[in-house]
Amino acid sequence: MKKMKYFVYVLFLAIGCSEDDDTSLNSNLSGLQGEWSLANVTGGLIGINENFKKGMIIWVFNEETKTVKITNKNTNDVYDVLSSGTYTYSILVVNDSKELIIDDKNIGNFELTTNQFTIDDQFRDGFKVTFNR
């Protein structure tokens, strides 16, 4: 009987342990490094859909220093995420989703492919922004 209690205790301990769901992604993000141009912004309460000329708004990521340098030449009153400047960034992994954090502000869910990445904040009546190489 004592062995059975020990077995049940170990079983509950093993089942109760899990990995932390909220962890920072500290590894190389393979592909984020370099220059990205804002291509499109959609969403928001008024439902905008705005395309940007390549080079109008450029984000340059440096994975080594975890900074992004933004050059924003947009003069329209359209949402364009951030003003020109250099910001720190990180990627937060929450329940198998990645979120982009810039200067400690969560700006949305983050998805990266070889030549494109998106930041999607539409679930909070925000915007979805698409960047291309």
Side-chain angles (χ1 to χ4, degrees), residues 25-29 62-68 87-89:
L25 185 64
N26 293 324
S27 63
N28 185 350
L29 297 174
N62 184 325
E63 290 182 332
E64 186 176 312
T65 62
K66 297 295 185 198
T67 58
V68 57
Y87 304 88
T88 60
Y89 80 91

Side-chain angles (χ1 to χ4, degrees), residues 50-65:
E50 187 75 25
N51 292 316
F52 291 88
K53 290 181 183 177
K54 187 170 184 163
M56 176 69 68
I57 300 170
I58 297 173
W59 290 25
V60 180
F61 285 89
N62 184 325
E63 290 182 332
E64 186 176 312
T65 62

Side-chain angles (χ1 to χ4, degrees), residues 4-129:
M4 182 63 141
K5 285 182 183 179
Y6 178 74
F7 174 74
V8 171
Y9 175 75
V10 170
L11 181 63
F12 279 119
L13 184 62
I15 291 172
C17 294
S18 66
E19 292 182 25
D20 189 3
D21 290 336
D22 298 345
T23 58
S24 290
L25 185 64
N26 293 324
S27 63
N28 185 350
L29 297 174
S30 67
L32 190 59
Q33 175 76 26
E35 184 175 294
W36 298 86
S37 185
L38 179 63
N40 180 268
V41 174
T42 59
L45 292 174
I46 60 174
I48 68 166
N49 185 4
E50 187 75 25
N51 292 316
F52 291 88
K53 290 181 183 177
K54 187 170 184 163
M56 176 69 68
I57 300 170
I58 297 173
W59 290 25
V60 180
F61 285 89
N62 184 325
E63 290 182 332
E64 186 176 312
T65 62
K66 297 295 185 198
T67 58
V68 57
K69 181 179 180 185
I70 298 174
T71 304
N72 187 337
K73 301 176 194 170
N74 183 33
T75 57
N76 297 336
D77 287 337
V78 176
Y79 177 77
D80 54 15
V81 191
L82 292 167
S83 301
S84 293
T86 301
Y87 304 88
T88 60
Y89 80 91
S90 62
I91 305 295
L92 182 68
V93 178
V94 179
N95 297 328
D96 298 325
S97 293
K98 295 177 183 175
E99 298 177 3
L100 183 61
I101 312 296
I102 295 186
D103 274 358
D104 297 323
K105 181 182 178 197
N106 186 330
I107 62 171
N109 291 340
F110 174 79
E111 289 189 35
L112 173 68
T113 62
T114 304
N115 293 313
Q116 186 176 80
F117 81 84
T118 59
I119 304 165
D120 192 347
D121 196 33
Q122 290 179 314
F123 63 94
R124 294 183 265 206
D125 291 330
F127 299 92
K128 180 177 181 179
V129 293

